[in-house]
Amino acid sequence: MGTGGYTAHETAVIDDGCEIGEGTTIWHFSHLMTGCVVGKNCSIGQNVVIAPGVTLGNGVKVQNNVSIYTGVTCDDDVFLGPSCVFTNVTNPRSAVPRRHEYRSTRVCRGASVGANATIVCGHLIGEYAMIGAGAVVTKDVPAHALVMGNPARRTGWVSAYGHRLEFDGDGIAVCPESNDRYLFKNGSVTALP
């Protein structure tokens, strides 16, 4: 079914009041809730939930069985792997309403979240960071960082193309795919012009 420049499978549930960009595809059994914003050319996999107030930028790819709860913002070109999940309350209790305590989480441009990873609310995942499969993110993740484990710890650095960076004695690394150069200085990585 095509509506408003996007395509949605007939089993998808799209509540009134969603903003969905042109060229976006929404697959089987996904639910987009009132007040969510999905950019252009996104791919929303099967059985995905996008809660009210969530914003996804352009070119975001959401794989199957992902839950994106209120408070989450994903910038352009973010990849969310199968069955990853975002939380939005630090100390949830069934009998204690905490809707007014939702904490914000932002996934910056080009970052990837691996399959079955959990992103605990209230953190920033930097540009082009890579969260390993099954990782549990409990703190901010710097740009270009590769993190793994529970709790997630930085195990290296990656390029915008997702390749591990090996820095020389001058703090310079070259992506083997793009030949882009990166500088490691003062505990962070930046792309060189």
Side-chain angles (χ1 to χ4, degrees):
M1 159 174 105
T3 313
Y6 66 88
T7 303
H9 189 270
E10 63 185 20
T11 60
V13 175
I14 300 170
D15 294 345
D16 290 338
C18 296
E19 291 181 38
I20 303 169
E22 185 176 349
T24 289
T25 303
I26 303 162
W27 291 101
H28 306 70
F29 311 112
S30 288
H31 185 187
L32 279 66
M33 301 171 79
T34 300
C36 73
V37 176
V38 178
K40 296 178 181 177
N41 302 313
C42 294
S43 176
I44 308 300
Q46 180 175 303
N47 198 37
V48 169
V49 174
I50 303 177
V54 168
T55 300
L56 304 182
N58 298 322
V60 173
K61 291 184 172 43
V62 182
Q63 301 301 297
N64 296 346
N65 306 311
V66 175
S67 299
I68 311 170
Y69 295 116
T70 301
V72 174
T73 299
C74 294
D75 294 346
D76 293 349
D77 302 319
V78 163
F79 176 87
L80 302 178
S83 302
C84 73
V85 68
F86 294 85
T87 70
N88 62 3
V89 174
T90 302
N91 56 344
R93 294 290 195 203
S94 178
V96 181
R98 294 220 160 100
R99 288 182 169 221
H100 62 285
E101 295 179 25
Y102 289 164
R103 298 193 57 206
S104 297
T105 298
R106 180 174 173 200
V107 184
C108 295
R109 179 185 185 90
S112 294
V113 178
N116 294 306
T118 299
I119 310 301
V120 175
C121 60
H123 300 293
L124 176 78
I125 297 174
E127 288 189 347
Y128 303 107
M130 185 170 288
I131 311 302
V136 179
V137 173
T138 60
K139 61 185 179 181
D140 290 354
V141 176
H144 294 282
L146 170 64
V147 300
M148 299 183 211
N150 180 4
R153 288 184 169 76
R154 191 183 58 73
T155 60
W157 301 98
V158 293
S159 70
Y161 279 64
H163 295 283
R164 188 181 285 265
L165 295 171
E166 302 296 334
F167 293 93
D168 65 18
D170 295 322
I172 304 293
V174 178
C175 173
E177 184 173 355
S178 68
N179 289 319
D180 292 337
R181 294 166 24 106
Y182 295 85
L183 174 66
F184 177 75
K185 186 175 181 181
N186 299 325
S188 64
V189 171
T190 54
L192 292 171

